[in-house]
């Protein structure tokens, strides 16, 4: 469970002091999804800067310089890679022949080690699963809709990626994890959930004008002027796994509107998604006979969870 956050001041509507205040409040609200590390990325004086610390957001002070209008942020709950080693924390730097970028990820990738082998990616001291997305982009030597599509279709897991490039554009690659982008009077704010943004709005006395809608499979590029371009990728979350072919998995949890059990597992599914576990994985555990409390315990032991799921999947494939 991590959180993405950031701002795009596309019309110079905010002072530097206001931007620092917004980033502080947003990051503090994002602590509900992770306190192991906090980081931001931005462009200043012709270079991409990344500032990150293995600390919760309330212990980190943001001081972006004058003239910075686009900032990408992340709060982390470590699932792979020690947060104490700062190179494991987000955002991650990336280098292409003609442009540098920073990447942040909310979710969990299951096939990072497999991809490093299959794609012959270079050795790295970064232990975090998310870093394979940086390496896949670097291998393609491009940052555009095509390279992001290719990357998103190769990784297996739950994700939303944000990528800041040196031209002050932020790219959003939305898998099955949440993302909300709100447009205000002259600037945009985004975070992983509407609840985070709503709480930040209350503290900052803001009210958004509209929401920029996104869905699973979308790739958005928002430049420093607020212009939006859109692409898409084929999300493997919806089609990949064979047990989705068996309607019984869904019959137990997605009841008809006349049955009393509608939504009884909503809280469990919300917690699971926030921790990077897919709905169909929870459905398999429930169908096997696990109680919600037992599943919640498994969510905090990823190695055991993966072992149990592997055995159950093998029985039905």
């Amino acid at each position: 469970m991590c959180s993405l956050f950031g701002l795009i001041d596309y019309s110079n509507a905010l002072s530097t002091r206001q931007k620092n205040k917004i980033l502080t409040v947003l990051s503090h609200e994002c602590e509900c999804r992770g306190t192991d590390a906090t980081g931001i990325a931005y462009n200043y004086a012709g270079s991409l800067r990344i500032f990150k610390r293995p600390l919760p957001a309330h212990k980190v002070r943001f001081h972006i310089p004058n003239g910075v209008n686009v900032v990408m942020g992340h709060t982390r709950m470590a699932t792979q890679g020690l947060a104490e080693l700062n190179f494991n924390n987000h955002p991650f730097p990336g280098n292409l022949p003609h442009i540098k970028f920073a990447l942040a990820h909310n979710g969990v990738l299951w096939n990072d080690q497999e991809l490093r082998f299959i794609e012959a990616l270079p050795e790295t001291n970064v232990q975090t699963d998310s870093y394979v997305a940086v390496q896949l982009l670097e291998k393609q030597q491009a940052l555009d809709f095509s390279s992001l599509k290719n990357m998103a279709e190769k990784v297996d897991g739950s994700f939303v990626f944000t990528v800041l490039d040196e031209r002050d554009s932020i790219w959003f690659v939305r898998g099955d994890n949440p993302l909300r982008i709100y447009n205000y009077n002259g600037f945009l704010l985004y975070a992983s959930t509407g609840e985070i943004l709503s709480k930040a709005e209350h503290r900052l006395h803001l009210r958004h004008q509209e929401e920029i809608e996104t869905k699973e499979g979308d790739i958005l590029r928002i430049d420093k002027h607020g212009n939006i371009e859109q692409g898409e990728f084929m999300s493997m979350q919806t089609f990949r796994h064979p047990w989705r072919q068996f309607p019984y998995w869904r019959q137990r949890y997605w009841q008809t509107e006349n049955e009393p059990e509608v939504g009884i597992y909503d809280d469990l599914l919300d917690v699971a998604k926030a921790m990077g576990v897919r709905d169909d994985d929870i459905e398999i555990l429930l169908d096997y006979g696990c109680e919600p409390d037992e599943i919640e315990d498994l969510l905090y032991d990823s190695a055991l969870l993966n072992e149990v799921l592997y055995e159950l999947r093998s029985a039905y494939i």
Side-chain angles (χ1 to χ4, degrees), residues 30-70:
C30 288
E31 282 194 345
C32 65
R33 296 176 62 87
T35 58
D36 291 321
T38 308
I40 59 173
Y42 58 88
N43 291 294
Y44 179 69
S47 64
L48 181 65
R49 312 288 179 92
I50 294 176
F51 173 82
K52 54 185 176 181
R53 294 290 184 270
L55 297 168
H58 73 272
K59 292 186 177 181
V60 178
R61 293 192 176 185
F62 296 121
H63 295 289
I64 62 170
N66 292 331
V68 172
N69 288 333
V70 180

Side-chain angles (χ1 to χ4, degrees), residues 82-260:
L82 294 173
E84 290 79 6
L85 302 174
N86 203 35
F87 53 73
N88 285 325
N89 297 322
H90 309 234
F92 299 104
N95 292 284
L96 300 172
H98 303 294
I99 194 169
K100 294 181 179 180
F101 65 91
L103 179 144
H105 167 222
N106 168 31
V108 178
L109 304 181
W110 307 115
N111 65 334
D112 54 306
Q113 296 299 329
E114 177 186 348
L115 283 173
R116 289 191 175 100
F117 176 76
I118 293 173
E119 299 288 332
L121 300 176
E123 293 291 329
T124 175
N125 62 347
V126 180
Q127 303 160 338
T128 312
D129 54 322
S130 313
Y131 190 67
V132 73
V134 175
Q135 293 183 299
L136 289 172
L137 292 173
E138 289 179 332
K139 182 179 179 180
Q140 296 176 83
Q141 297 192 350
L143 178 61
D144 52 28
F145 285 105
S146 177
S147 63
L148 288 167
K149 176 180 185 294
N150 182 279
M151 179 273 289
E153 291 179 350
K154 285 183 176 178
V155 297
D156 183 12
S158 62
F159 61 84
V160 172
F161 295 104
T162 54
V163 183
L164 171 68
D165 65 32
E166 284 186 309
R167 303 184 184 98
D168 262 348
S169 293
I170 297 184
W171 303 76
F172 299 85
V173 183
R174 181 170 180 184
D176 64 345
N177 267 15
L179 173 68
R180 305 296 287 274
I181 307 172
Y182 289 173
N183 191 7
Y184 298 82
N185 187 20
F187 62 97
L188 301 173
L189 300 180
Y190 71 88
S192 287
T193 69
E195 182 181 8
I196 289 171
L197 284 172
S198 294
K199 289 182 176 179
E201 284 183 330
H202 178 74
R203 291 177 58 184
L204 294 164
H205 306 291
L206 293 173
R207 179 177 295 179
H208 62 278
Q209 309 295 314
E210 62 177 342
E211 179 174 356
I212 297 172
E213 299 285 349
T214 63
K215 65 182 185 302
E216 183 179 356
D218 281 348
I219 304 174
L220 265 63
R221 175 181 176 265
I222 306 181
D223 69 16
K224 62 183 178 181
H225 304 296
N227 300 314
I228 301 174
E229 295 179 78
Q230 187 166 344
E232 59 185 14
F233 66 95
M234 178 65 73
S235 175
M236 301 305 287
Q237 303 310 313
T238 305
F239 305 107
R240 181 167 186 167
H241 301 293
W243 58 84
R244 288 182 183 273
Q245 299 171 12
F246 298 93
Y248 179 71
W249 296 122
R250 296 195 175 276
Q251 289 173 6
R252 178 172 175 179
Y253 315 108
W254 310 114
Q255 307 289 330
T256 65
E257 58 182 310
N258 295 322
E259 292 180 294

Side-chain angles (χ1 to χ4, degrees), residues 248-295:
Y248 179 71
W249 296 122
R250 296 195 175 276
Q251 289 173 6
R252 178 172 175 179
Y253 315 108
W254 310 114
Q255 307 289 330
T256 65
E257 58 182 310
N258 295 322
E259 292 180 294
E261 292 189 294
V262 172
I264 62 173
Y265 296 112
D266 283 355
D267 289 343
L268 178 62
L269 293 172
D270 287 344
V271 171
K273 177 168 281 193
M275 299 184 74
V277 179
R278 295 183 289 259
D279 289 356
D280 51 5
D281 290 339
I282 300 302
E283 293 172 11
I284 288 175
L285 294 170
L286 287 166
D287 190 67
Y288 181 70
C290 295
E291 295 297 326
D293 289 346
E294 295 174 319
I295 296 173

